[in-house]
Amino acid sequence: MAGESQALQWMNRLDIRASVELLPALPHDQMADVFRRAQVLVSAAIHDGMPIPCSKAWLRMFPIAGDLDFDSRMDHKREEWPAYRRATDPQKLADAILEGLANKNLRDQAAGLNQRIIMERAEYGSTMKRVEEFYQKVKLKT
């Protein structure tokens, strides 16, 4: 959003210029490096299939997620994924962000737990095995 006039207006109106960095469009392979610089990761989406792109970033930060509707076809439940705070409305989102930024112990605790969960549930080999099993089920039904 670098250079976007609307974003700059919001930053000025909210007096948050010192706390916000607007980035240009980046290639996908550079996004993980950008995410790793953050202390808090916010995904306020209402649907995020299976959030593997965010999972690597979640390893080192305090994640906050909306009430995500994960893709049940892959046999994943949202409770299985690391989100220390679920924010279902703007005030809860703001409160969770402030809590995550203010509490380093909470961020550290989240980082350890999230790394363990992601390594168990999003490891490439086991994920691809589940994908293959899913396609075999679909193939048998057709």
Side-chain angles (χ1 to χ4, degrees), residues 35-114:
F35 282 133
R36 282 188 199 101
R37 294 179 9 211
Q39 294 177 353
V40 174
L41 174 69
V42 179
S43 176
I46 58 172
H47 180 78
D48 198 0
M50 191 169 105
I52 297 299
C54 291
S55 67
K56 289 182 174 45
W58 280 351
L59 289 175
R60 297 185 182 142
M61 63 187 63
F62 184 79
I64 301 165
D67 193 17
L68 295 174
D69 179 21
F70 284 59
D71 192 336
S72 61
R73 293 171 294 175
M74 287 301 296
D75 203 27
H76 288 283
K77 299 177 183 105
R78 67 178 153 235
E79 297 82 23
E80 294 178 342
W81 289 95
Y84 253 68
R85 294 294 178 266
R86 298 235 178 256
T88 55
D89 64 57
Q91 186 59 56
K92 287 182 181 176
L93 179 64
D95 292 344
I97 292 169
L98 293 173
E99 177 184 23
L101 290 172
N103 191 334
K104 184 180 180 334
N105 288 337
L106 190 61
R107 290 193 313 269
D108 291 345
Q109 182 183 8
L113 176 62
N114 292 340

Side-chain angles (χ1 to χ4, degrees), residues 3-24:
E4 291 291 328
S5 62
Q6 181 67 56
L8 293 170
Q9 289 173 13
W10 289 331
M11 290 168 58
N12 288 333
R13 188 182 79 222
L14 298 170
D15 193 26
I16 57 173
R17 281 188 85 104
S19 302
V20 175
E21 177 184 5
L22 298 178
L23 300 173

